Amino acid sequence: MAAQTESPLVGEDDGSQASGRQRQTLILVAVLLAVFVVPTSISGTGVALPYIGSDLDANLVPLQWVVNAFNVAFACFTLAWGSIADIIGRVRAFALGATIYAVASLVSVFAGNVILLDVARALAGIGGAAIFSCGAAMLSTVFEGPARGRAFALFGTVAGIGVSFGPSLSGALIENAGWRWVFAVHVIVLALVLLAVPTMSRAVQETRTEGARIDVLGSALFILAMLLLTTGIAQGSQWGWASPGVLGLFAGTIVALAVFAAVEKRKDHPMLDLSIVTNRRFMALCLVPVAGSFGFVTMLTYLPSYLTAAAGYSSGKAGVIMLMLTVPMLILPLVAAKLVAKGVSAMGIIYLSLVFLVVGAAGLELYAPDVNLGLVALPMLITGAGYALAAGLVDGKALELVAPERAGMAAGFLNTMRLGSEAIAVAIYGSLLATVISGKTKDSIADYAGAGDPTTVAGTVASGNISGPAGQVAEAQRGSFTDLLVNAYDGAFHTVLWVLGGICLVLLVLIAALLSGRKAEPAKAN
């Protein structure tokens, strides 16, 4: 696989060191602005759903796809964009992704029905996948040494802040300007990013793999596998985990991945070079954000529902309480980068982050509807620190293990593991929560709610939104029915917490085992 050689920065005045730093700063700012938009959309759009539903007269299923369409498209296309960037150039792929996202967001602003909004959100997810993959690949080539560590620390900090504060920012926009401004702000920010693209193109020499073509078949197979997997997980609580439909979806996932691997082995220019996946240390580092997805992102998504549905807090107070989980993202990624620059072991910090995720999950078991918040403050801070310490740091360490001409592919795979695992972890949490609630309440909920199917009511309770028949009975029989729901939610929450903590512990052991092998040199292109 022949590739053009690349000089990280190519300017019109190569003798000017100050000019080079300015170009680096411009690239960093542009990437970070675009990266900030993506996670705010992932975590913040859900806040707008009630207002979108009311304004567009949307039913529940298409309304949910305003969020799901973005998340699924993002998870499915991240890997494809990584390999595309290595073929057409990283700046060009980044700019294309930002353009797709901006246009899709503009369509969202003016959407007159929920179906058009769903389609626009799926397109935005495709563009967001390019922003993450190609942005990370650019940083890995533009920066070197300690500067690369600082750049990726900022990358992780901005992404974490976007995820953590997306709901608050969206809520403020909705309250003061309306739900359409959630998407209008994305258009404005990405328009600013696109203004910087001509300068970025002059500053960064595009790296292209000669003679390579986009792997359409491999991309289609991988996207199919991700769709089957996420659908199977999402439907587990509705159809039953052992139902023919769910088992068929999981079996289809395995078949699609097996065919994908067979196809990629025979490709001269595959979407995913399987030699990257067989690099033990690279794979270990790619599993670190997976642990963060199960230990942190699930709490970021569902703890607010617990605080409102089980503990009885208002949405505003629940948001304030969640700051204990998210504040570490403001500080610790940069602290980790500074410690590494001073000689502290990067892998030591990464191991510490994994331990914090396990300890944090165990500590959050202290939560109860009437718990003293001072008692759970420390577990929340520890959980947030577990995610924040590795954010950005793991990206830089992982991409160091891969040859520069494969940085886009490697960044795409890493972010597929990160964002794909977030979507899967959140789906697993929701399905398990609904399943456990159903098991704990059996027909009692159906008797109270008049819904006839405890799983249906369990899913409603798991979302933290007690409405419909359940809400009507709750108003009429507030005492016994509400207590039943609160107890069911509380018990299920703690059961699922143990599962999540166990998953984080298993990942910690697996990562340690993979890292125990000898260090591998960055792979060279064929």
Side-chain angles (χ1 to χ4, degrees):
M1 185 184 297
Q4 294 177 351
T5 58
E6 175 182 14
S7 173
L9 284 173
V10 178
E12 296 171 353
D13 180 11
D14 292 328
S16 173
Q17 195 172 30
S19 177
R21 285 196 297 269
Q22 289 175 354
R23 292 193 296 271
Q24 284 183 322
T25 301
L26 175 65
I27 292 168
L28 179 62
V29 170
V31 170
L32 294 182
L33 276 174
V35 163
F36 179 74
V37 167
V38 178
T40 59
S41 186
I42 291 173
S43 66
T45 306
V47 177
L49 292 185
Y51 304 91
I52 294 172
S54 176
D55 189 24
L56 300 182
D57 194 24
N59 294 324
L60 179 61
V61 172
L63 187 63
Q64 288 176 331
W65 275 97
V66 174
V67 174
N68 292 342
F70 183 95
N71 292 345
V72 172
F74 192 111
C76 290
F77 282 87
T78 303
L79 181 58
W81 273 111
S83 63
I84 290 171
D86 290 337
I87 295 172
I88 71 172
R90 289 154 203 173
V91 175
R92 188 174 299 175
F94 176 84
L96 180 58
T99 300
I100 292 172
Y101 199 128
V103 171
S105 296
L106 188 61
V107 173
S108 299
V109 171
F110 294 103
N113 61 78
V114 72
I115 301 302
L116 178 59
L117 183 58
D118 289 342
V119 173
R121 293 293 294 154
L123 288 174
I126 294 172
I131 288 171
F132 251 72
S133 290
C134 306
M138 269 198 293
L139 296 186
S140 73
T141 54
V142 169
F143 294 93
E144 297 177 350
R148 175 187 284 179
R150 289 191 294 272
F152 273 108
L154 286 168
F155 185 97
T157 299
V158 169
I161 290 172
V163 170
S164 302
F165 295 96
S168 300
L169 294 173
S170 295
L173 284 169
I174 292 166
E175 184 174 344
N176 293 287
W179 67 265
R180 295 181 187 273
W181 273 93
V182 173
F183 305 114
V185 168
H186 298 168
V187 177
I188 295 168
V189 173
L190 290 173
L192 293 174
V193 170
L194 289 170
L195 289 175
V197 168
T199 303
M200 295 167 68
S201 297
R202 292 192 297 270
V204 180
Q205 180 178 329
E206 298 280 24
T207 301
R208 302 186 186 96
T209 304
E210 295 178 357
R213 294 182 179 180
I214 295 172
D215 182 5
V216 176
L217 179 58
S219 300
L221 286 167
F222 186 80
I223 291 167
L224 175 63
M226 290 295 295
L227 283 171
L228 292 172
L229 178 61
T230 52
T231 303
I233 292 171
Q235 294 300 126
S237 64
Q238 299 296 315
W239 297 350
W241 291 96
S243 67
V246 170
L247 293 178
L249 288 168
F250 290 153
T253 302
I254 295 171
V255 171
L257 287 175
V259 176
F260 169 75
V263 167
E264 297 304 275
K265 285 180 181 179
R266 291 170 172 78
K267 288 275 187 178
D268 292 330
H269 304 289
M271 180 180 75
L272 176 63
D273 188 335
L274 297 182
S275 66
I276 292 177
V277 180
T278 57
N279 183 323
R280 289 165 58 97
R281 296 183 66 81
F282 178 77
M283 274 303 300
L285 290 167
C286 287
L287 288 174
V288 173
V290 176
S293 296
F294 282 95
F296 174 81
V297 176
T298 52
M299 289 297 96
L300 189 68
T301 305
Y302 279 101
L303 186 54
S305 295
Y306 177 88
L307 291 170
T308 54
Y313 291 105
S314 66
S315 297
K317 189 165 184 180
V320 173
I321 294 169
M322 290 297 293
L323 289 175
M324 291 186 287
L325 192 69
T326 56
V327 160
M329 282 304 311
L330 299 174
I331 305 167
L332 293 185
L334 288 173
V335 169
K338 289 182 178 179
L339 290 174
V340 171
K342 291 181 179 180
V344 176
S345 168
M347 292 312 306
I349 294 175
I350 289 173
Y351 274 125
L352 182 62
S353 74
L354 293 168
V355 171
F356 277 1
L357 288 173
V358 176
V359 173
L364 289 173
E365 289 288 342
L366 295 171
Y367 253 111
D370 57 351
V371 70
N372 185 322
L373 292 177
L375 189 64
V376 294
L378 183 59
M380 291 183 72
L381 289 169
I382 289 174
T383 300
Y387 187 80
L389 282 170
L393 183 61
V394 71
D395 296 68
K397 295 300 295 182
L399 295 181
E400 283 178 4
L401 299 172
V402 180
E405 61 269 21
R406 293 179 178 172
M409 182 187 296
F413 183 79
L414 173 61
N415 282 298
T416 296
M417 294 289 284
R418 171 182 284 121
L419 279 304
S421 67
E422 286 182 6
I424 290 169
V426 169
I428 287 175
Y429 185 103
S431 290
L432 285 177
L433 193 65
T435 300
V436 175
I437 289 174
S438 179
K440 287 180 178 295
T441 56
K442 302 293 184 182
D443 295 329
S444 299
I445 288 181
D447 292 340
Y448 275 109
D453 178 10
T455 301
T456 301
V457 182
T460 303
V461 178
S463 71
N465 178 25
I466 303 174
S467 59
Q472 295 168 12
V473 177
E475 288 297 323
Q477 303 176 0
R478 184 174 297 275
S480 57
F481 180 68
T482 302
D483 288 344
L484 174 65
L485 292 179
V486 168
N487 290 335
Y489 197 121
D490 183 56
F493 175 80
H494 288 86
T495 299
V496 176
L497 260 182
W498 281 117
V499 174
L500 296 179
I503 291 173
C504 290
L505 181 60
V506 169
L507 286 169
L508 170 58
V509 173
L510 178 58
I511 290 166
L514 289 171
L515 290 173
S516 65
R518 67 181 181 84
K519 293 184 179 181
E521 295 296 324
K524 300 297 182 185
N526 295 326

